[in-house]
């Protein structure tokens, strides 16, 4: 059974700071990793995908993947109150369905 | 470019009833996956449809069934509703089975 672990939070950061969200997974053959943002009462919205070890940057967001440590993270620079949401980590492993963590709730304090 | 659409947005049913939820995939996508998301949990995979067939199924009972139409739209049917079926039901579409999935707005189902 593949597992994706996330700290449920809430993670509170001041406006303008860097928010660091972490995710660990149990399956060593996991291949594709995704971060989704979900506002309260809304559906998940794709933020980033990452497939190779290292960093991938898109605007204020940076995804980091370390397959040897089975660890993927999302950094949000210059955090804004509008970034307050639940962030879901998800992964594919071969021909298996997308598996989600329970999400980390982020609160950016103005 | 039309995104994923779902209907209805909200639904209230009583125990034992049956419900049908609908999903139209993002333009150009051919694969539809359905998820159930309980409060405070991540989405749980129900099943995936491709070429009008159920390709893979998660750990959900046979009360949950689905269908995909030639235009790639899909339905999720739930029979004999239980209180525990109350959740946000999400449809996601992709081009191919294990490609990036994009979610619709969801249908919030309340079973009384």
């Amino acid at each position: 059974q593949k597992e994706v672990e996330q700290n449920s939070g809430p993670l509170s950061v001041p406006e303008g700071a860097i928010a660091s969200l972490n995710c660990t997974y149990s399956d060593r053959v996991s291949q594709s990793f995704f971060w989704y943002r979900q506002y309260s009462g809304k559906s998940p919205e794709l933020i980033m995908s990452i497939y190779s070890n290292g960093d991938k940057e898109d605007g204020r967001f940076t995804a980091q993947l370390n397959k040897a440590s089975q660890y993927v993270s999302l950094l949000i620079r210059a955090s804004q109150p509008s970034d307050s949401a639940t962030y879901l980590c998800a992964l594919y492993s071969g021909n298996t369905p997308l598996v989600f963590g329970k999400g980390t709730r982020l609160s950016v304090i103005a | 470019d039309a995104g994923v659409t779902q209907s209805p947005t909200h639904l209230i049913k009583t125990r034992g009833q049956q419900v049908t939820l609908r999903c139209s995939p993002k333009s150009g996508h051919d694969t539809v996956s359905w998820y159930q998301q309980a409060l405070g949990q991540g989405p749980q995979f129900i099943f995936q449809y491709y070429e009008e067939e159920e390709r893979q199924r998660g750990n959900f009972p046979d009360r949950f069934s689905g269908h995909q139409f030639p235009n790639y739209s899909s339905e999720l049917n739930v029979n004999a509703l239980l209180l525990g079926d109350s959740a946000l039901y999400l449809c996601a579409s992709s081009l191919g089975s294990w490609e990036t999935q994009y979610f619709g707005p969801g249908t919030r189902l309340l079973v009384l």
Side-chain angles (χ1 to χ4, degrees):
Chain A
Q1 178 79 15
K2 300 175 182 58
E3 291 186 355
V4 179
E5 298 291 336
Q6 294 183 257
N7 188 319
S8 62
L11 172 66
S12 295
V13 300
E15 185 176 4
I18 296 175
S20 178
L21 303 160
N22 304 314
C23 172
T24 59
Y25 58 94
S26 61
D27 188 345
R28 288 192 170 274
V29 300
S30 294
Q31 299 169 334
S32 306
F33 303 84
F34 305 88
W35 283 100
Y36 287 85
R37 177 177 62 197
Q38 187 172 27
Y39 292 113
S40 180
K42 302 296 185 182
S43 64
E45 172 192 9
L46 181 69
I47 298 176
M48 297 278 288
S49 59
I50 187 166
Y51 308 99
S52 304
N53 280 329
D55 295 359
K56 179 181 178 182
E57 187 175 317
D58 183 0
R60 295 187 298 112
F61 299 97
T62 298
Q64 299 175 318
L65 175 59
N66 184 326
K67 290 187 177 181
S69 299
Q70 295 174 237
Y71 176 95
V72 58
S73 65
L74 179 70
L75 301 179
I76 306 175
R77 290 181 298 281
S79 295
Q80 305 167 358
S82 59
D83 294 327
S84 298
T86 296
Y87 289 81
L88 298 163
C89 172
L91 60 88
Y92 278 133
S93 175
N95 291 330
T96 58
L98 198 58
V99 176
F100 284 84
K102 292 184 178 181
T104 297
R105 189 156 54 94
L106 172 66
S107 178
V108 180
I109 310 299
Chain B
D1 181 16
V4 182
T5 60
Q6 290 186 246
S7 63
T9 55
H10 295 83
L11 206 50
I12 299 176
K13 293 286 188 179
T14 56
R15 281 179 298 174
Q17 285 189 310
Q18 177 265 343
V19 68
T20 297
L21 311 181
R22 296 176 176 83
C23 171
S24 290
K26 183 179 171 66
S27 178
H29 285 184
D30 58 6
T31 302
V32 172
S33 302
W34 287 93
Y35 295 84
Q36 180 194 67
Q37 187 177 26
L39 204 60
Q41 302 294 315
Q44 297 293 312
F45 175 76
I46 303 175
F47 42 54
Q48 183 181 81
Y49 277 86
Y50 172 73
E51 292 188 339
E52 302 180 50
E53 291 189 358
E54 184 181 291
R55 169 162 287 193
Q56 195 156 116
R57 187 179 185 92
N59 189 25
F60 279 80
D62 292 345
R63 298 187 297 110
F64 290 77
S65 63
H67 189 78
Q68 186 179 34
F69 299 94
N71 66 353
Y72 307 118
S73 67
S74 176
E75 288 182 350
L76 164 65
N77 300 292
V78 187
N79 294 323
L81 285 167
L82 304 174
L83 296 180
D85 295 331
S86 295
L88 179 66
Y89 287 85
L90 296 163
C91 166
S93 76
S94 56
L95 180 59
S97 287
W98 314 122
E99 300 301 322
T100 304
Q101 294 188 4
Y102 297 87
F103 284 86
T107 294
R108 189 163 297 281
L109 172 66
L110 178 61
V111 182
L112 301 176

